[in-house]
Amino acid sequence: AHHQVWTKNHIVLYLHKEDRFRRAHPISWALIRRGMATLSDNRIGKPESELNVRCIELHHYSPGGGLITPGHRDNGSTLTMSILLSDPAGVTGGDFVTYGEGMPMAHNM
């Protein structure tokens, strides 16, 4: 997989490169695809045949790190999903922020 150091406190590993995630984690891949099929026509207005996994990224944040880019959008994505892989009891500080109508909204993790 390819990685990128955005800052000393934020490193990204691109798991979609060369189809590595699908090959290494076939059960997780199947669950993601099944979820996409479930959401397709009725909830997001696109048939399953038009949906694909555009990217899978593993972000690692150390204290002081984060993806704080005003105006950042996942252009080209129909749906973006973020999954906390750490035990929430072991995470302190920070916010998960999304934007609605141009305004930031913090979500308690």
Side-chain angles (χ1 to χ4, degrees):
H2 178 70
H3 73 278
Q4 179 176 1
V5 178
W6 287 10
T7 69
K8 67 179 184 172
N9 304 94
H10 182 191
I11 298 171
V12 182
L13 184 64
Y14 297 102
L15 302 173
H16 57 281
K17 297 286 186 177
E18 299 172 2
D19 209 21
R20 288 186 177 159
F21 182 86
R22 184 191 59 79
R23 290 186 287 121
H25 305 284
I27 294 171
S28 296
W29 178 260
L31 290 170
I32 291 169
R33 293 298 302 173
R34 189 172 356 169
M36 290 170 66
T38 301
L39 289 174
S40 62
D41 288 322
N42 296 339
R43 293 211 177 137
I44 58 178
K46 286 191 174 187
E48 181 184 0
S49 62
E50 290 183 21
L51 299 176
N52 61 50
V53 176
R54 188 175 67 83
C55 63
I56 299 175
E57 303 171 355
L58 176 63
H59 291 253
H60 178 268
Y61 303 104
S62 59
L67 178 57
I68 308 297
T69 307
H72 173 85
R73 300 290 182 270
D74 289 346
N75 294 323
S77 296
T78 300
L79 173 69
T80 298
M81 180 184 326
S82 293
I83 302 169
L84 178 64
L85 299 176
S86 301
D87 180 352
V91 177
T92 58
D95 290 313
F96 176 68
V97 178
T98 60
Y99 287 81
E101 298 180 17
M103 299 300 298
M105 298 181 299
H107 304 276
N108 187 0
M109 301 298 289

